[in-house]
Amino acid sequence: MSREAADGRAGTTVGPGPGTGTGQGTGTRGRTAVAPARARHLRTRLGLIVLGSLLVAVVGTVVLVDQLFGRAQRASLVDLLERDLQRVQALVAAGTLGADFVEQGAGGVRLQFVSNAGVVLLAPDATDPIPLAPTPVRSVTGERAELVGSAAWLLPSGLEIGTIRMALDVTEADADRATLRLSLLFAGGLLALVAGALAWVLVSGALRPLADLARQAVAVDPARPRLARYRGPEDEVAELARALNVALEAIAERQQAERDALAEVAHELAAPLTVVAGELRQLASAHPDDPRVRAAREAADELLHTSQDLLTLARGELDRAPDLSVVDLAAVARGVVDAYPGVTFATDGADGRVFAQPDRLRQVARNLVRNAVQAAGAERVRVAVEGGAEVRLRVEDDGPGMTPEALARVFDRYVSGRAGGVGVGLTVARRIVASFDGRIEARSEPGRGTVFEVTLPGWSSQVEGESAEA
Amino acid sequence: MLVVEDDARLRGLVREALEATGHRVTAVGTGGDALLRAVDGGIDLVLLDLNLPDVDGIEVARRLHADGEVPIVMLTARGDVASRVEGLYAGAADYVTKPFELQELLARVHVRLRERGAGEGAIERAGLRLQTDVRTLWAGDAQVTLPEREAELLRLLLTHPGRVFSREDLEARLYGDDLPDSNTVEVFVYQLRRRIRALGVADPIRTVRGKGYTVL
């Protein structure tokens, strides 16, 4: 198949990064997207709740204060009006008050004398009659608001000839009340806003450890859980952090126990396996034509390689490979292919040298080739190496291929595509490749075969000569 | 050659394979025997199992290393990075993880023996000649005497062409157990390069980004 066709297919890439372990790419990304969004939402919600409830409280307080102030204001005005009316009434009854007093029209106060017949007398503004109000009432005409009251107009003789009506301009008092209401609303609203913002900030601060925990929980490598770090006050979040760590610790312990058990098993098997494989190899070179010896040797080699894979996994840590040297990937791949008659090998002849451990690199090539041969048969497997600034090892087969679901899990541990396989070969290959700062990709479609491609940085791209040091 | 391995079958297999490639082999099963045999001398390489019934393999390596410059290749089923570094500090030259293929082991043994042969007397590479016993570095007629650790550093690099020595690796090999300050290896490399350039030749030491140093 052509390179273009292969590239167009569904693919999965795994390379070194923050989590080079077995953390499955898609799942991790999915969780990352959700958790911090939740945290922010809660923060906003709490901020809005504080803001909302404070606003309600402010409006309630303003209404209450306004009512109380209005009532008190009105009471004092009514009091004032009634006292003035009584004084005027008394003065009139005593005959000491004349028309000149009326015409003075003290500031904001109107005084009218209305006869029993309803005729406004002794008033400069007779055209603007003051209504009759035995108990003081509010009277609004146009823009003007007045408090109106009236009292009997008694002559010195005691004869009631009409009513004395008084109107107190309360427009200013109303304005005062409105100003008070507005200032209260403004101050209260400001307070609510400040408190809301403060709540938002405080809650953000309180939630930061939580968001931090969430980030750490998302980043946990299921293969190597690391305990979450918590920085913050001793509160519920601290409790959550402790609970999370208890869980992580349990997982880590369990995994360590599994690794120890695996290492123990591998250790017990190591010496006898080495002996069996070594003796059979010598036997096979002494009896090159005996198919039974050859079959036994191949089986022993396979056992040896599988247990090497298991041990690699059991050791767990392969972040950075030690003991690197310059290795020609083309030579390594050719050596592996030689052990599988029928598999074809090609190289573009460019520099295929990389920094790696030769035996680990061979393990990678062997696992990929073995995987392809088992899936498709040796005659349908092609291996190619391209050199250059990036060195590529490509293992292609025309086998049954994989569904996208199977492809997504192809590098997962203990997930085997075939019956009887342990499913560690590709996991190990990926880990080793990552430890050499490389990446491994798989492309496949049902019915159209599978391609595995290992990309490693070429040796020359990583080397600094003396000029760089000078 | 001394083979120290407690599993009798594996010991037999390794001895036969080494003898078949022309080595004279003494094989023992305990650390105590290994140390006794080592006193006799005449050993040019030790294959040492880490997991011995009496003395810990690391301890055996440490004592063997203290006695002389015999290269030690560790055999272990552990093989994790921590125990590998521990082995290096104890003086191991290489590490083979069990289970192993016989050819793999033989190949490593041959590499170590070749390095040992090359490490004696004078090493020539990249227009340089290092006289290890007197720590003198020659480039044509120009010469310079190197301080002990720089000479050892250059010897390591010149006798392992293509191999990358990480900083930790070099520290373990140059210092053993007494750890130096963190940047001493860089200082040595820097001074070594300066001295090489002062001889009027191109400096063959290459920095491998994030990985260490090598000579190609």
Side-chain angles (χ1 to χ4, degrees):
Chain A
M1 98 199 62
S2 75
R3 186 75 207 287
E4 287 73 22
D7 283 343
R9 296 175 177 192
T12 176
T13 309
V14 186
T20 46
T22 52
Q24 203 189 329
T26 47
T28 309
R29 271 196 298 280
R31 278 179 287 156
T32 316
V34 173
R38 283 250 165 87
R40 245 177 268 129
H41 194 91
L42 182 61
R43 181 167 64 185
T44 310
R45 233 162 46 203
L46 282 170
L48 284 177
I49 286 172
V50 169
L51 180 71
S53 44
L54 270 168
L55 278 178
V56 168
V58 161
V59 168
T61 310
V62 168
V63 165
L64 193 68
V65 168
D66 180 54
Q67 284 299 313
L68 288 175
F69 179 79
R71 210 166 291 172
Q73 195 187 38
R74 187 187 149 87
S76 74
L77 287 172
V78 164
D79 195 45
L80 186 70
L81 184 71
E82 280 176 340
R83 261 203 329 256
D84 279 1
L85 261 178
Q86 276 165 20
R87 225 169 56 228
V88 171
Q89 190 186 35
L91 287 171
V92 170
T96 54
L97 192 72
D100 54 333
F101 173 81
V102 177
E103 278 166 20
Q104 274 176 10
V109 179
R110 291 193 295 137
L111 193 61
Q112 291 178 355
F113 292 82
V114 184
S115 72
N116 280 339
V119 182
V120 179
L121 307 165
L122 294 177
D125 52 351
T127 51
D128 189 8
I130 301 173
L132 182 67
T135 53
V137 289
R138 236 176 119 78
S139 154
V140 181
T141 42
E143 299 249 315
R144 190 186 57 191
E146 287 174 319
L147 191 65
V148 190
S150 51
W153 181 9
L154 300 173
L155 290 178
S157 61
L159 182 68
E160 182 177 338
I161 57 164
T163 50
I164 308 168
R165 301 182 188 188
M166 192 179 263
L168 198 59
D169 192 337
V170 292
T171 314
E172 207 163 304
D174 280 357
D176 287 350
R177 187 174 160 188
T179 306
L180 175 76
R181 202 159 44 210
L182 267 178
S183 336
L184 276 178
L185 268 176
F186 180 74
L190 199 66
L191 183 79
L193 268 177
V194 167
L198 201 65
W200 191 85
V201 168
L202 284 178
V203 172
S204 302
L207 285 181
R208 199 166 297 124
L210 197 62
D212 189 43
L213 276 184
R215 252 194 310 279
Q216 292 186 58
V218 168
V220 163
D221 179 354
R224 275 169 301 162
R226 206 167 290 148
L227 290 191
R229 272 171 300 108
Y230 174 74
R231 276 187 308 267
E234 274 297 311
D235 55 9
E236 288 86 345
V237 183
E239 232 164 87
L240 179 67
R242 269 193 296 274
L244 180 65
N245 276 346
V246 167
L248 286 175
E249 228 164 298
I251 295 172
E253 264 170 39
R254 177 69 185 274
Q255 284 179 345
Q256 188 55 48
E258 275 175 18
R259 267 203 293 272
D260 289 349
L262 196 55
E264 190 60 35
V265 170
H267 179 247
E268 290 301 316
L269 291 176
L273 267 176
T274 308
V275 172
V276 168
E279 297 288 8
L280 277 171
R281 185 165 281 266
Q282 292 188 335
L283 203 58
S285 49
H287 304 273
D289 301 325
D290 193 333
R292 288 171 305 170
V293 174
R294 203 183 68 214
R297 198 211 77 194
E298 281 169 8
D301 279 351
E302 176 145 3
L303 270 179
L304 188 82
H305 297 149
T306 303
S307 68
Q308 280 175 341
D309 285 349
L310 283 170
L311 255 174
T312 307
L313 278 186
R315 274 173 220 132
E317 43 177 315
L318 249 182
D319 286 343
R320 161 109 326 153
D323 288 342
L324 297 174
S325 44
V326 177
V327 188
D328 185 356
L329 180 56
V332 167
R334 192 193 303 273
V336 167
V337 168
D338 282 348
Y340 292 90
V343 177
T344 60
F345 178 77
T347 171
D348 64 356
D351 193 344
R353 289 179 292 176
V354 296
F355 285 112
Q357 289 166 289
D359 49 344
R360 291 282 166 267
L361 200 58
R362 199 172 306 127
Q363 206 176 348
V364 170
R366 196 164 50 217
N367 285 356
L368 293 181
V369 173
R370 186 174 56 186
N371 183 68
V373 167
Q374 275 157 354
E379 282 70 31
R380 298 166 72 183
V381 175
R382 294 178 298 281
V383 178
V385 172
E386 286 171 16
E390 287 200 320
V391 180
R392 286 196 180 76
L393 164 68
R394 195 158 45 243
V395 179
E396 281 178 66
D397 72 61
D398 298 340
M402 279 178 277
T403 60
E405 297 76 41
L407 184 66
R409 305 194 58 199
V410 74
F411 291 108
D412 283 7
R413 199 198 290 218
Y414 307 131
V415 175
S416 171
R418 64 199 152 88
V422 193
V424 295
L426 294 176
T427 311
V428 167
R430 183 183 71 166
R431 282 227 199 160
I432 294 173
V433 167
S435 78
F436 298 149
D437 294 341
R439 61 180 193 275
I440 186 166
E441 287 171 53
R443 294 187 292 270
S444 186
E445 261 177 48
R448 299 186 64 180
T450 305
V451 185
F452 281 95
E453 190 172 272
V454 172
T455 308
L456 290 167
W459 74 278
S460 55
S461 67
Q462 298 176 73
V463 162
E464 290 161 9
E466 55 179 331
S467 58
E469 283 290 311
Chain B
M1 191 170 300
L2 180 61
V3 174
V4 192
E5 162 63 54
D6 66 327
D7 187 298
R9 295 163 305 180
L10 187 53
R11 190 166 68 229
L13 177 75
V14 170
R15 185 175 61 190
E16 274 173 35
L18 286 172
E19 281 172 348
T21 52
H23 298 286
R24 274 193 304 120
V25 179
T26 308
V28 296
T30 65
D33 286 349
L35 292 170
L36 275 179
R37 289 301 167 92
V39 175
D40 300 343
I43 296 167
D44 43 23
L45 189 131
V46 181
L47 269 176
L48 177 62
D49 184 13
L50 264 187
N51 201 8
L52 294 171
D54 53 346
V55 194
D56 179 44
I58 294 280
E59 185 53 36
V60 175
R62 197 165 285 146
R63 291 205 217 161
L64 288 176
H65 188 65
D67 287 347
E69 288 297 301
V70 183
I72 301 168
V73 176
M74 296 261 196
L75 299 179
T76 176
R78 277 194 275 169
D80 53 283
V81 175
S83 70
R84 192 193 139 275
V85 170
E86 196 185 2
L88 275 183
Y89 278 106
D94 202 355
Y95 224 80
V96 176
T97 315
K98 288 194 238 174
F100 52 83
E101 283 177 81
L102 219 39
Q103 307 93 287
E104 182 75 38
L105 179 73
L106 294 178
R108 300 275 190 106
V109 164
H110 288 143
V111 169
R112 295 305 149 212
L113 283 176
R114 204 171 55 225
E115 285 166 9
R116 179 175 157 78
E120 278 168 1
I123 313 153
E124 284 188 60
R125 192 168 189 91
L128 294 170
R129 190 159 65 90
L130 178 66
Q131 191 90 29
T132 48
D133 46 357
V134 290
R135 304 198 309 264
T136 307
L137 181 64
W138 296 79
D141 291 333
Q143 67 166 83
V144 64
T145 301
L146 298 176
E148 191 182 337
R149 287 197 168 125
E150 283 175 44
E152 176 61 13
L153 179 63
L154 186 60
R155 189 189 69 79
L156 274 174
L157 290 170
L158 290 179
T159 51
H160 300 74
R163 175 149 175 199
V164 183
F165 288 90
S166 69
R167 214 153 287 143
E168 302 83 56
D169 210 345
L170 288 173
E171 271 168 18
R173 286 167 199 272
L174 294 179
Y175 292 92
D177 281 337
D178 7 301
L179 272 176
D181 294 340
S182 57
N183 64 350
T184 317
V185 167
E186 278 103 320
V187 174
F188 280 156
V189 171
Y190 173 76
Q191 286 177 346
L192 193 52
R193 286 179 153 171
R194 218 168 37 102
R195 284 189 228 276
I196 291 173
R197 278 197 296 266
L199 293 176
V201 290
D203 155 33
I205 302 173
R206 296 285 174 272
T207 305
V208 186
R209 258 198 302 283
K211 297 190 171 82
Y213 303 99
T214 191
V215 165
L216 293 169

